[in-house]
Amino acid sequence: MITQTMDIPDKTKGDAPRDTLTITDNRTGKTYELPITDDTIRAMDLRQIKVNDADFGMMTYDPALLNTAATRSSITYIDGDKGILEYRGIPIEQLAEHSNFLETAYLILFGELPTAQQYHEWQDKVLHRTMVKEYIKVLMQAFRYDAHPMSMFISTVAALSTYYPEANQIMNPEIRMKQIVRLVAKTPTIAAYSYRHHRGLPYVYPDNDLSYTGNFLNMLDKMTQVKYEPDPAWERALDVLFILHADHEQNAGTNAMRAIGSTHVDPYSAMAGAAAALYGPLHGGANEEVIRMLTQIGSIKNVPEFVEKVKKGEGKLMGFGHRVYKNYDPRAKIVKQTAYQVFESTGVNPLLEIALELERIALQDEYFVKRKLYPNVDFYSGLIYQAMGFPMAFFPVLFAIPRTVGWLAQWQEGLIDAEQKITRPRQIYTGPAQRDYVPMSARK
Ligand code: CMC
């Protein structure tokens, strides 16, 4: 709790340091001492700072929440300056090398790596819920032939709530877990249906003998063969990409998931909102924009001219920069390596050399160095997806499938956090002061 104090520790006199922050309000001359926990002060403590009793109290103004921790979380750790990303304490590099997506999903959702038995039970549960009801298929077939797959994905996830009305019992842990398993299991199916729709092909039912990503490839690619056999290199590449995209602490999509979830709506409705946030070109839609940008640059020789334009403020270098990373995004390093592995079977994406040149120039240019702009996860992932033959419109959907795990883990953590309430920021009102309604006949 905040206390009013004049007793400020003076290190030169040997006073012991305290975990507090002293603020003097020069309007009143009063001094306040605020507790510091985890390098943070509580915004609500500031409300005690008032000019008089009628005063509402001090708030913080933080557009785009640049410097506001809105939750405590034990899921994902990022050190943006050092380029560190960990899920439940385990570095992303180790997970990408040794784990698979379903095991990583278990880790994110349950907090620990599964034992062999836990893993098999979890895998069994997920793989046996991959099918969606026929109504969902019919619903998706009703979209226009050229519907954007991400719009289909968002709408269909929202529509799932109509089939599972019990999902709104969000405080029942068993019911909650049932929806989590359903969503992890069914998002690849919905995604694959949106892809087949986009390509004018019949939808393919899941094959539960295959792995999570193997089955996903089956639902995307299967034509007339009786049994689909996924290419192991592609299956592994997708698995690695899914691991890298599974969670990323309080990004825009996750913040949407938590905010919508804080109203206690069902997880399908909340996740549709999170996926909508992900769709934006500044978020998960960036990988699509990277390919557009590289195609527009067209050739290595045009790279310096393009970089100059970006520096003049004429557009952005898509796939570069990050709110949190002020160093190379650790995911981008792994995506780059994975790209080379995929290109061994697909052939090199011709846009790769433009991307490499862009990265080379940007990483030594004063503009990007000064602003600490490095490639992010989207810079190379689009090149892999394109080499695998995925249309650009499908890229954000490929991001949404694995991020489902992070959204659900963060949603659940928010719900059971006793400190959380409905998310409701404040504002600084800048409109007109109170005035009277003027009848239309009297308006000028
Ligand atoms: N190209 C050129 N300049 C940039 C870029 C960029 N990609 N990103 C930031 N800047 C500049 C920006 O103009 C600003 O310059 P100044 O200080 O002169 O005004 C400075 O760098 C700081 O940028 P900011 O806009 O304050 O940074 P932010 O934290 O608000 O934005 C971002 C982060 C990711 C939205 C932004 O870097 C961006 O738009 N990048 C391109 C889109 C992109 O690749 N998004 C994918 C993000 S990673 C995947 C995900 O998690 O969704």
Side-chain angles (χ1 to χ4, degrees):
M1 199 49 206
I2 192 166
T3 52
Q4 283 186 32
T5 180
M6 294 305 289
D7 165 29
I8 300 166
D10 184 345
K11 272 192 164 176
T12 58
K13 291 186 187 156
D15 291 350
R18 290 200 294 269
D19 281 338
T20 58
L21 180 75
T22 301
I23 296 177
T24 302
D25 184 348
N26 293 321
R27 298 171 302 176
T28 57
K30 283 188 192 157
T31 296
Y32 302 81
E33 189 173 2
L34 278 58
I36 299 177
T37 313
D38 299 319
D39 278 341
T40 310
I41 56 160
R42 293 217 165 221
M44 279 304 286
D45 281 350
L46 296 173
R47 288 271 282 280
Q48 308 294 319
I49 304 176
K50 295 180 177 193
V51 175
N52 54 46
D53 285 348
D55 187 355
F56 179 75
M58 181 80 74
M59 292 191 302
T60 56
Y61 177 56
D62 188 12
L65 305 179
L66 288 165
N67 197 37
T68 294
T71 187
R72 304 175 76 83
S73 179
S74 62
I75 301 171
T76 292
Y77 173 75
I78 298 176
D79 183 326
D81 291 327
K82 296 197 183 118
I84 293 173
L85 168 61
E86 297 165 355
Y87 298 152
R88 304 284 188 185
I90 303 181
I92 194 69
E93 293 80 4
Q94 292 183 26
L95 291 167
E97 190 176 345
H98 304 295
S99 185
N100 65 41
F101 176 67
L102 274 189
E103 186 188 52
T104 299
Y106 186 100
L107 169 73
I108 290 173
L109 285 162
F110 298 97
E112 294 294 337
L113 286 168
T115 62
Q117 192 190 338
Q118 285 168 332
Y119 176 73
H120 290 298
E121 282 171 14
W122 165 243
Q123 186 187 37
D124 229 49
K125 260 191 204 164
V126 171
L127 295 185
H128 284 91
R129 279 181 184 76
T130 47
M131 205 165 248
V132 295
K133 296 253 192 295
E134 279 302 280
Y135 317 109
I136 288 288
K137 188 173 142 185
V138 173
L139 178 97
M140 293 186 76
Q141 280 167 335
F143 280 98
R144 234 173 77 144
Y145 69 94
D146 59 352
H148 195 291
M150 191 62 175
S151 304
M152 289 180 70
F153 181 85
I154 294 166
S155 316
T156 310
V157 167
L160 284 181
S161 75
T162 65
Y163 299 103
Y164 306 114
E166 82 278 13
N168 62 11
Q169 293 173 50
I170 42 101
M171 286 305 173
N172 179 322
E174 272 168 43
I175 293 181
R176 210 163 52 217
M177 190 45 66
K178 221 171 169 178
Q179 317 316 315
I180 289 176
V181 173
R182 276 186 180 135
L183 272 164
V184 175
K186 293 182 201 310
T187 45
T189 313
I190 294 169
Y193 282 9
S194 76
Y195 173 82
R196 300 285 292 199
H197 189 88
H198 191 71
R199 300 201 50 198
L201 293 168
Y203 300 177
V204 175
Y205 290 115
D207 177 347
N208 297 341
D209 291 342
L210 299 172
S211 71
Y212 189 80
T213 43
N215 170 50
F216 180 50
L217 286 168
N218 158 67
M219 293 187 289
L220 296 174
D221 267 358
K222 189 167 185 266
M223 298 305 269
T224 53
Q225 58 272 56
V226 176
K227 180 85 183 166
Y228 179 84
E229 287 179 16
D231 176 333
W234 284 34
E235 198 177 351
R236 181 63 196 154
L238 266 189
D239 225 51
V240 170
L241 288 165
F242 279 10
I243 290 171
L244 300 181
H245 286 88
D247 192 48
H248 212 232
E249 51 119 305
Q250 309 309 315
N251 55 84
T254 302
N255 184 52
M257 182 83 193
R258 279 183 176 260
I260 303 172
S262 78
T263 69
H264 290 186
V265 72
D266 68 88
Y268 302 101
S269 305
M271 207 183 101
L278 183 73
Y279 188 13
L282 298 186
H283 195 2
N287 48 17
E288 192 177 337
E289 296 303 319
V290 171
I291 298 297
R292 271 188 234 288
M293 174 188 75
L294 295 175
T295 310
Q296 185 204 330
I297 295 172
S299 150
I300 257 194
K301 68 177 181 359
N302 299 332
V303 169
E305 188 194 334
F306 179 80
V307 170
E308 284 313 308
K309 277 192 183 159
V310 169
K311 284 160 62 179
K312 279 191 225 146
E314 297 168 23
K316 273 187 173 171
L317 181 44
M318 298 310 285
F320 257 68
H322 199 276
R323 172 62 56 81
V324 180
Y325 294 117
K326 300 301 166 199
N327 198 326
Y328 213 102
D329 180 339
R331 300 169 301 172
K333 275 191 201 146
I334 304 167
V335 175
K336 196 172 169 184
Q337 288 159 13
T338 311
Y340 283 108
Q341 285 154 15
V342 169
F343 296 159
E344 278 172 27
S345 72
T346 61
V348 174
N349 186 326
L351 297 179
L352 176 68
E353 64 169 3
I354 302 177
L356 290 171
E357 180 65 359
L358 206 48
E359 181 186 335
R360 190 187 69 77
I361 293 189
L363 289 185
Q364 60 190 25
D365 189 292
E366 158 81 7
Y367 175 95
F368 297 92
V369 173
K370 204 171 104 198
R371 291 169 177 77
K372 298 188 176 164
L373 300 171
Y374 291 85
N376 60 48
V377 70
D378 290 316
F379 194 65
Y380 287 104
S381 61
L383 290 178
I384 303 184
Y385 297 147
Q386 198 185 43
M388 286 172 133
F390 293 126
M392 281 192 289
F394 196 55
F395 295 178
V397 183
L398 288 165
F399 195 153
I401 299 169
R403 185 52 61 84
T404 298
V405 167
W407 286 330
L408 292 166
Q410 300 267 357
W411 163 73
Q412 173 157 261
E413 189 180 61
L415 281 179
I416 57 184
D417 179 346
E419 277 203 297
Q420 292 294 339
K421 291 167 179 276
I422 187 168
T423 302
R424 204 318 187 168
R426 294 280 176 174
Q427 66 166 11
I428 299 171
Y429 177 68
T430 59
Q434 192 181 73
R435 54 195 176 139
D436 290 329
Y437 176 84
V438 180
M440 199 177 277
S441 57
R443 288 179 217 158
K444 298 223 172 77

